Amino acid sequence: MNSSRGITIERHFIDQQELHPEASGELTRLLHQLAFAAKMITKEVRSAGLSDILGEAGHMNVQGEVVQKLDEISNDVIYRSMDHAGVLCCMASEERDEMIAIPKEFRCGKYTLAFDPLDGSSNIDANVNVGTIFSIHKRVTPEGTPGQVEDLLQPGRKQVVAGYIVYGSSTMMVYTTGHGVNGFTLDPTIGEFLLSHPNMKIPPRGKYFSVNMGNRHFWSEGVRRYVDHLTTPNKELGTPYSLRYIGSMIADVHRTLLYGGIFMYPMDYKDPQNPKSKLRLLYEAAPMSMVVEQAGGLSTNGRMSILDVQPKGLHDRVPLFVGSKEEITDLNHFIEKYNVI
Ligand code: P6P
């Protein structure tokens, strides 16, 4: 029997809602809109190579119009799908410096949405998998008032929904409401997301590690020694692991979720006085970490679970290590021993 049994994502949203008798249906409406936006962005991504919307913004397309970059188009698709739904009080996007308010003419809801409209978009010209990442919290300021930045600045552990849409050989939507992880594959012939990966679980240990080895000399000693451990032949330990790195975090983490192993974007000590991280907490690290932890994996910034990191700003960056439970546990032993992340 096919595991999807023809269960559409809309049916799954309703099933999830029925787990919460007190539910108002607002969250279900939000998820419906996200699935709709995913189909719209799929259309744009699939036709990108043909309709001259690749590359930098500002150039003119064949119709003589100013062309937006695909990530800006994706940003607008999500904004337009969500702003009038009456379920959000505010949003945050990688593409916008400030908090995105809900237009006055629309009702303010009780949720917030933080999103990366098209993660990995720098690779889109090379036809590499890209994706949309989303994170939903319940507001903390009084209902009926305009949303505030503090509604968005909540730790990942308080997410009510986290997930992503990966635009690859097929479009998949993977999400959790805190009761496990489920994956849906878009059937383009009927325009429906069908349950293809029920109750996803990450293997406790994998055979792959995923990191940009070009930055090896800029990592802390703990991380460098851990990666050296992974690449030193040892039959008993099952090393060396294989390196898989696409340079599109959503694709690298999605593969890690399916096959096991570890994805890393460590702190960069190129300037020891001013160490830097690259990945964003609110709409990249926190939602992806919630999905992986809900699937039985772990995440860390080198000190604590990503889900316990308190955001200070909408675009905070964090070191990210996420993957199989046993890999993160091994990494932590190296970090503790050398005491730097
Ligand atoms: P690097 C893509 O641009 C991105 O934001 C993530 O999706 C990806 O993991 C990372 O940057 C890749 O960065 O420095 O290895 O090219």
Side-chain angles (χ1 to χ4, degrees), residues 235-259:
K235 269 207 172 48
E236 277 167 47
L237 299 177
T239 56
Y241 281 18
S242 295
L243 171 62
R244 293 284 185 279
Y245 192 72
I246 300 173
S248 176
M249 186 260 283
I250 199 159
D252 283 317
V253 176
H254 181 64
R255 182 201 54 250
T256 302
L257 175 63
L258 290 174
Y259 296 167

PDB file of all heavy atoms in Angstrom, residues 235-259:
ATOM      1  N   LYS A 235      38.388   1.807  11.107  1.00  0.00           N
ATOM      2  CA  LYS A 235      37.322   0.823  10.830  1.00  0.00           C
ATOM      3  C   LYS A 235      36.313   0.768  11.977  1.00  0.00           C
ATOM      4  O   LYS A 235      35.100   0.782  11.779  1.00  0.00           O
ATOM      5  CB  LYS A 235      37.937  -0.572  10.624  1.00  0.00           C
ATOM      6  CG  LYS A 235      38.297  -0.906   9.173  1.00  0.00           C
ATOM      7  CD  LYS A 235      38.258  -2.420   8.921  1.00  0.00           C
ATOM      8  CE  LYS A 235      38.418  -2.775   7.438  1.00  0.00           C
ATOM      9  NZ  LYS A 235      39.538  -2.081   6.781  1.00  0.00           N
ATOM     10  N   GLU A 236      36.804   0.759  13.206  1.00  0.00           N
ATOM     11  CA  GLU A 236      35.894   0.629  14.362  1.00  0.00           C
ATOM     12  C   GLU A 236      34.919   1.810  14.442  1.00  0.00           C
ATOM     13  O   GLU A 236      33.748   1.653  14.756  1.00  0.00           O
ATOM     14  CB  GLU A 236      36.709   0.604  15.680  1.00  0.00           C
ATOM     15  CG  GLU A 236      37.277  -0.768  16.047  1.00  0.00           C
ATOM     16  CD  GLU A 236      38.309  -0.628  17.166  1.00  0.00           C
ATOM     17  OE1 GLU A 236      38.008   0.073  18.161  1.00  0.00           O
ATOM     18  OE2 GLU A 236      39.402  -1.159  16.984  1.00  0.00           O
ATOM     19  N   LEU A 237      35.417   2.983  14.092  1.00  0.00           N
ATOM     20  CA  LEU A 237      34.581   4.196  14.216  1.00  0.00           C
ATOM     21  C   LEU A 237      33.788   4.463  12.947  1.00  0.00           C
ATOM     22  O   LEU A 237      33.003   5.404  12.882  1.00  0.00           O
ATOM     23  CB  LEU A 237      35.459   5.411  14.558  1.00  0.00           C
ATOM     24  CG  LEU A 237      36.231   5.332  15.875  1.00  0.00           C
ATOM     25  CD1 LEU A 237      37.109   6.581  16.045  1.00  0.00           C
ATOM     26  CD2 LEU A 237      35.271   5.192  17.056  1.00  0.00           C
ATOM     27  N   GLY A 238      34.043   3.628  11.907  1.00  0.00           N
ATOM     28  CA  GLY A 238      33.312   3.834  10.659  1.00  0.00           C
ATOM     29  C   GLY A 238      33.734   5.082   9.909  1.00  0.00           C
ATOM     30  O   GLY A 238      32.967   5.636   9.126  1.00  0.00           O
ATOM     31  N   THR A 239      34.947   5.561  10.197  1.00  0.00           N
ATOM     32  CA  THR A 239      35.461   6.726   9.449  1.00  0.00           C
ATOM     33  C   THR A 239      36.475   6.228   8.424  1.00  0.00           C
ATOM     34  O   THR A 239      37.041   5.146   8.582  1.00  0.00           O
ATOM     35  CB  THR A 239      36.166   7.703  10.427  1.00  0.00           C
ATOM     36  OG1 THR A 239      37.200   6.995  11.123  1.00  0.00           O
ATOM     37  CG2 THR A 239      35.176   8.305  11.407  1.00  0.00           C
ATOM     38  N   PRO A 240      36.718   6.948   7.327  1.00  0.00           N
ATOM     39  CA  PRO A 240      36.271   8.329   7.083  1.00  0.00           C
ATOM     40  C   PRO A 240      34.825   8.388   6.586  1.00  0.00           C
ATOM     41  O   PRO A 240      34.353   7.462   5.908  1.00  0.00           O
ATOM     42  CB  PRO A 240      37.224   8.811   5.988  1.00  0.00           C
ATOM     43  CG  PRO A 240      37.577   7.569   5.218  1.00  0.00           C
ATOM     44  CD  PRO A 240      37.616   6.462   6.243  1.00  0.00           C
ATOM     45  N   TYR A 241      34.130   9.485   6.956  1.00  0.00           N
ATOM     46  CA  TYR A 241      32.816   9.766   6.378  1.00  0.00           C
ATOM     47  C   TYR A 241      33.030  10.362   4.990  1.00  0.00           C
ATOM     48  O   TYR A 241      34.133  10.821   4.667  1.00  0.00           O
ATOM     49  CB  TYR A 241      32.073  10.796   7.248  1.00  0.00           C
ATOM     50  CG  TYR A 241      31.435  10.249   8.515  1.00  0.00           C
ATOM     51  CD1 TYR A 241      31.793   9.035   9.056  1.00  0.00           C
ATOM     52  CD2 TYR A 241      30.457  10.993   9.165  1.00  0.00           C
ATOM     53  CE1 TYR A 241      31.216   8.556  10.220  1.00  0.00           C
ATOM     54  CE2 TYR A 241      29.851  10.527  10.320  1.00  0.00           C
ATOM     55  CZ  TYR A 241      30.237   9.295  10.838  1.00  0.00           C
ATOM     56  OH  TYR A 241      29.657   8.837  11.990  1.00  0.00           O
ATOM     57  N   SER A 242      31.941  10.408   4.206  1.00  0.00           N
ATOM     58  CA  SER A 242      31.994  11.082   2.899  1.00  0.00           C
ATOM     59  C   SER A 242      31.521  12.524   3.067  1.00  0.00           C
ATOM     60  O   SER A 242      30.606  12.792   3.847  1.00  0.00           O
ATOM     61  CB  SER A 242      31.081  10.363   1.898  1.00  0.00           C
ATOM     62  OG  SER A 242      31.600   9.063   1.662  1.00  0.00           O
ATOM     63  N   LEU A 243      32.159  13.420   2.323  1.00  0.00           N
ATOM     64  CA  LEU A 243      31.783  14.836   2.355  1.00  0.00           C
ATOM     65  C   LEU A 243      30.724  15.099   1.280  1.00  0.00           C
ATOM     66  O   LEU A 243      30.875  14.684   0.130  1.00  0.00           O
ATOM     67  CB  LEU A 243      33.013  15.720   2.093  1.00  0.00           C
ATOM     68  CG  LEU A 243      32.762  17.212   1.889  1.00  0.00           C
ATOM     69  CD1 LEU A 243      32.149  17.852   3.131  1.00  0.00           C
ATOM     70  CD2 LEU A 243      34.067  17.923   1.556  1.00  0.00           C
ATOM     71  N   ARG A 244      29.629  15.712   1.686  1.00  0.00           N
ATOM     72  CA  ARG A 244      28.606  16.153   0.729  1.00  0.00           C
ATOM     73  C   ARG A 244      28.293  17.613   1.058  1.00  0.00           C
ATOM     74  O   ARG A 244      27.854  17.900   2.170  1.00  0.00           O
ATOM     75  CB  ARG A 244      27.317  15.332   0.873  1.00  0.00           C
ATOM     76  CG  ARG A 244      27.467  13.860   0.475  1.00  0.00           C
ATOM     77  CD  ARG A 244      27.512  13.678  -1.035  1.00  0.00           C
ATOM     78  NE  ARG A 244      27.539  12.271  -1.415  1.00  0.00           N
ATOM     79  CZ  ARG A 244      28.635  11.518  -1.416  1.00  0.00           C
ATOM     80  NH1 ARG A 244      29.820  12.071  -1.044  1.00  0.00           N
ATOM     81  NH2 ARG A 244      28.588  10.246  -1.783  1.00  0.00           N
ATOM     82  N   TYR A 245      28.561  18.543   0.155  1.00  0.00           N
ATOM     83  CA  TYR A 245      28.284  19.954   0.421  1.00  0.00           C
ATOM     84  C   TYR A 245      27.808  20.627  -0.852  1.00  0.00           C
ATOM     85  O   TYR A 245      28.552  20.718  -1.822  1.00  0.00           O
ATOM     86  CB  TYR A 245      29.541  20.669   0.946  1.00  0.00           C
ATOM     87  CG  TYR A 245      29.262  22.054   1.504  1.00  0.00           C
ATOM     88  CD1 TYR A 245      28.596  22.207   2.717  1.00  0.00           C
ATOM     89  CD2 TYR A 245      29.643  23.199   0.813  1.00  0.00           C
ATOM     90  CE1 TYR A 245      28.328  23.466   3.242  1.00  0.00           C
ATOM     91  CE2 TYR A 245      29.378  24.461   1.321  1.00  0.00           C
ATOM     92  CZ  TYR A 245      28.714  24.591   2.537  1.00  0.00           C
ATOM     93  OH  TYR A 245      28.442  25.833   3.034  1.00  0.00           O
ATOM     94  N   ILE A 246      26.518  21.067  -0.818  1.00  0.00           N
ATOM     95  CA  ILE A 246      25.933  21.678  -2.017  1.00  0.00           C
ATOM     96  C   ILE A 246      26.094  23.203  -1.992  1.00  0.00           C
ATOM     97  O   ILE A 246      26.137  23.862  -2.999  1.00  0.00           O
ATOM     98  CB  ILE A 246      24.438  21.292  -2.103  1.00  0.00           C
ATOM     99  CG1 ILE A 246      24.278  19.760  -2.190  1.00  0.00           C
ATOM    100  CG2 ILE A 246      23.750  21.962  -3.272  1.00  0.00           C
ATOM    101  CD1 ILE A 246      22.835  19.283  -2.115  1.00  0.00           C
ATOM    102  N   GLY A 247      26.171  23.761  -0.779  1.00  0.00           N
ATOM    103  CA  GLY A 247      26.267  25.214  -0.637  1.00  0.00           C
ATOM    104  C   GLY A 247      24.894  25.851  -0.622  1.00  0.00           C
ATOM    105  O   GLY A 247      24.754  27.060  -0.715  1.00  0.00           O
ATOM    106  N   SER A 248      23.860  25.015  -0.501  1.00  0.00           N
ATOM    107  CA  SER A 248      22.489  25.483  -0.318  1.00  0.00           C
ATOM    108  C   SER A 248      22.014  24.791   0.947  1.00  0.00           C
ATOM    109  O   SER A 248      21.769  23.578   0.948  1.00  0.00           O
ATOM    110  CB  SER A 248      21.644  25.079  -1.525  1.00  0.00           C
ATOM    111  OG  SER A 248      20.306  25.432  -1.326  1.00  0.00           O
ATOM    112  N   MET A 249      21.912  25.558   2.055  1.00  0.00           N
ATOM    113  CA  MET A 249      21.709  24.929   3.369  1.00  0.00           C
ATOM    114  C   MET A 249      20.481  24.030   3.400  1.00  0.00           C
ATOM    115  O   MET A 249      20.489  22.938   3.949  1.00  0.00           O
ATOM    116  CB  MET A 249      21.575  26.020   4.441  1.00  0.00           C
ATOM    117  CG  MET A 249      21.517  25.506   5.848  1.00  0.00           C
ATOM    118  SD  MET A 249      19.842  25.453   6.481  1.00  0.00           S
ATOM    119  CE  MET A 249      19.604  27.159   6.834  1.00  0.00           C
ATOM    120  N   ILE A 250      19.412  24.496   2.716  1.00  0.00           N
ATOM    121  CA  ILE A 250      18.166  23.727   2.780  1.00  0.00           C
ATOM    122  C   ILE A 250      18.360  22.345   2.149  1.00  0.00           C
ATOM    123  O   ILE A 250      17.893  21.336   2.663  1.00  0.00           O
ATOM    124  CB  ILE A 250      17.023  24.507   2.100  1.00  0.00           C
ATOM    125  CG1 ILE A 250      15.661  23.976   2.549  1.00  0.00           C
ATOM    126  CG2 ILE A 250      17.141  24.486   0.588  1.00  0.00           C
ATOM    127  CD1 ILE A 250      14.556  24.958   2.345  1.00  0.00           C
ATOM    128  N   ALA A 251      19.139  22.289   1.065  1.00  0.00           N
ATOM    129  CA  ALA A 251      19.396  21.005   0.386  1.00  0.00           C
ATOM    130  C   ALA A 251      20.320  20.144   1.246  1.00  0.00           C
ATOM    131  O   ALA A 251      20.094  18.939   1.404  1.00  0.00           O
ATOM    132  CB  ALA A 251      20.023  21.268  -0.980  1.00  0.00           C
ATOM    133  N   ASP A 252      21.342  20.768   1.849  1.00  0.00           N
ATOM    134  CA  ASP A 252      22.281  20.008   2.683  1.00  0.00           C
ATOM    135  C   ASP A 252      21.609  19.465   3.939  1.00  0.00           C
ATOM    136  O   ASP A 252      21.853  18.326   4.349  1.00  0.00           O
ATOM    137  CB  ASP A 252      23.483  20.896   3.051  1.00  0.00           C
ATOM    138  CG  ASP A 252      24.477  21.053   1.889  1.00  0.00           C
ATOM    139  OD1 ASP A 252      24.765  20.038   1.209  1.00  0.00           O
ATOM    140  OD2 ASP A 252      24.940  22.184   1.647  1.00  0.00           O
ATOM    141  N   VAL A 253      20.729  20.264   4.547  1.00  0.00           N
ATOM    142  CA  VAL A 253      20.054  19.787   5.768  1.00  0.00           C
ATOM    143  C   VAL A 253      18.977  18.752   5.407  1.00  0.00           C
ATOM    144  O   VAL A 253      18.808  17.752   6.114  1.00  0.00           O
ATOM    145  CB  VAL A 253      19.461  20.957   6.585  1.00  0.00           C
ATOM    146  CG1 VAL A 253      18.667  20.440   7.794  1.00  0.00           C
ATOM    147  CG2 VAL A 253      20.574  21.891   7.066  1.00  0.00           C
ATOM    148  N   HIS A 254      18.290  18.964   4.284  1.00  0.00           N
ATOM    149  CA  HIS A 254      17.265  17.984   3.858  1.00  0.00           C
ATOM    150  C   HIS A 254      17.916  16.614   3.634  1.00  0.00           C
ATOM    151  O   HIS A 254      17.431  15.587   4.110  1.00  0.00           O
ATOM    152  CB  HIS A 254      16.581  18.469   2.576  1.00  0.00           C
ATOM    153  CG  HIS A 254      15.496  17.560   2.066  1.00  0.00           C
ATOM    154  ND1 HIS A 254      14.336  17.300   2.763  1.00  0.00           N
ATOM    155  CD2 HIS A 254      15.428  16.832   0.916  1.00  0.00           C
ATOM    156  CE1 HIS A 254      13.591  16.466   2.067  1.00  0.00           C
ATOM    157  NE2 HIS A 254      14.212  16.158   0.952  1.00  0.00           N
ATOM    158  N   ARG A 255      19.073  16.587   2.969  1.00  0.00           N
ATOM    159  CA  ARG A 255      19.778  15.305   2.758  1.00  0.00           C
ATOM    160  C   ARG A 255      20.204  14.714   4.096  1.00  0.00           C
ATOM    161  O   ARG A 255      20.073  13.515   4.342  1.00  0.00           O
ATOM    162  CB  ARG A 255      21.003  15.502   1.854  1.00  0.00           C
ATOM    163  CG  ARG A 255      21.751  14.192   1.544  1.00  0.00           C
ATOM    164  CD  ARG A 255      23.194  14.427   1.102  1.00  0.00           C
ATOM    165  NE  ARG A 255      23.898  15.230   2.083  1.00  0.00           N
ATOM    166  CZ  ARG A 255      24.270  16.489   1.866  1.00  0.00           C
ATOM    167  NH1 ARG A 255      24.011  17.075   0.716  1.00  0.00           N
ATOM    168  NH2 ARG A 255      24.882  17.185   2.799  1.00  0.00           N
ATOM    169  N   THR A 256      20.697  15.565   5.007  1.00  0.00           N
ATOM    170  CA  THR A 256      21.129  15.083   6.334  1.00  0.00           C
ATOM    171  C   THR A 256      19.947  14.475   7.081  1.00  0.00           C
ATOM    172  O   THR A 256      20.060  13.439   7.737  1.00  0.00           O
ATOM    173  CB  THR A 256      21.734  16.257   7.132  1.00  0.00           C
ATOM    174  OG1 THR A 256      22.836  16.821   6.383  1.00  0.00           O
ATOM    175  CG2 THR A 256      22.246  15.802   8.499  1.00  0.00           C
ATOM    176  N   LEU A 257      18.763  15.116   6.965  1.00  0.00           N
ATOM    177  CA  LEU A 257      17.555  14.591   7.627  1.00  0.00           C
ATOM    178  C   LEU A 257      17.214  13.197   7.086  1.00  0.00           C
ATOM    179  O   LEU A 257      16.863  12.285   7.842  1.00  0.00           O
ATOM    180  CB  LEU A 257      16.385  15.548   7.387  1.00  0.00           C
ATOM    181  CG  LEU A 257      14.995  15.132   7.886  1.00  0.00           C
ATOM    182  CD1 LEU A 257      14.982  15.006   9.408  1.00  0.00           C
ATOM    183  CD2 LEU A 257      13.942  16.150   7.428  1.00  0.00           C
ATOM    184  N   LEU A 258      17.360  13.008   5.789  1.00  0.00           N
ATOM    185  CA  LEU A 258      16.975  11.730   5.172  1.00  0.00           C
ATOM    186  C   LEU A 258      18.018  10.639   5.391  1.00  0.00           C
ATOM    187  O   LEU A 258      17.690   9.492   5.698  1.00  0.00           O
ATOM    188  CB  LEU A 258      16.748  11.923   3.667  1.00  0.00           C
ATOM    189  CG  LEU A 258      15.510  12.740   3.273  1.00  0.00           C
ATOM    190  CD1 LEU A 258      15.491  12.975   1.770  1.00  0.00           C
ATOM    191  CD2 LEU A 258      14.231  12.031   3.699  1.00  0.00           C
ATOM    192  N   TYR A 259      19.307  11.004   5.270  1.00  0.00           N
ATOM    193  CA  TYR A 259      20.365   9.975   5.264  1.00  0.00           C
ATOM    194  C   TYR A 259      21.121   9.911   6.582  1.00  0.00           C
ATOM    195  O   TYR A 259      21.871   8.957   6.820  1.00  0.00           O
ATOM    196  CB  TYR A 259      21.375  10.262   4.147  1.00  0.00           C
ATOM    197  CG  TYR A 259      20.838  10.193   2.742  1.00  0.00           C
ATOM    198  CD1 TYR A 259      21.574  10.700   1.671  1.00  0.00           C
ATOM    199  CD2 TYR A 259      19.583   9.636   2.459  1.00  0.00           C
ATOM    200  CE1 TYR A 259      21.093  10.658   0.367  1.00  0.00           C
ATOM    201  CE2 TYR A 259      19.097   9.594   1.163  1.00  0.00           C
ATOM    202  CZ  TYR A 259      19.838  10.095   0.130  1.00  0.00           C
ATOM    203  OH  TYR A 259      19.355  10.043  -1.171  1.00  0.00           O
TER     204      TYR A 259
END
